[in-house]
Amino acid sequence: PSSSLDSKDKAFFLNQYQRLLHGQGKLEEALSMQKQVLALSPDDQAYNYNIALIYDELGKHEDAYSTSKKLYH
């Protein structure tokens, strides 16, 4: 069996790590991690929603808004 993960699995695990960072209030680190998640799985709506929430909490409302628009198109 191969020990390497495919992009979808990597995105899942990185997203879980991002959630831990977010829960600890490490928003800049969570944002950085979520950007890596989206690089692996750019069309996943849950991952886009997560980054919109992080942007909003960081006061980056324009980024939150533009990301949120992607969820409805």
Side-chain angles (χ1 to χ4, degrees):
S2 174
S3 63
S4 63
L5 299 173
D6 65 17
S7 293
K8 183 178 177 181
D9 290 335
K10 286 179 188 176
F12 174 81
F13 287 113
L14 290 173
N15 185 64
Q16 296 305 308
Y17 183 56
Q18 173 278 132
R19 291 177 65 194
L20 292 171
L21 293 168
H22 184 260
Q24 294 174 346
K26 298 177 180 179
L27 298 179
E28 289 292 344
E29 291 176 54
L31 178 61
S32 176
M33 187 61 54
Q34 198 63 20
K35 287 179 179 180
Q36 292 179 50
V37 169
L38 286 170
L40 294 167
S41 189
D43 297 323
D44 188 290
Q45 287 196 328
Y47 298 157
N48 278 288
Y49 177 77
N50 289 348
I51 202 167
L53 290 177
I54 296 168
Y55 279 137
D56 190 57
E57 289 181 55
L58 287 169
K60 298 180 179 187
H61 303 297
E62 289 296 321
D63 291 326
Y65 177 71
S66 65
T67 301
S68 296
K69 287 191 331 187
K70 294 178 193 175
L71 298 172
Y72 300 102
H73 290 107

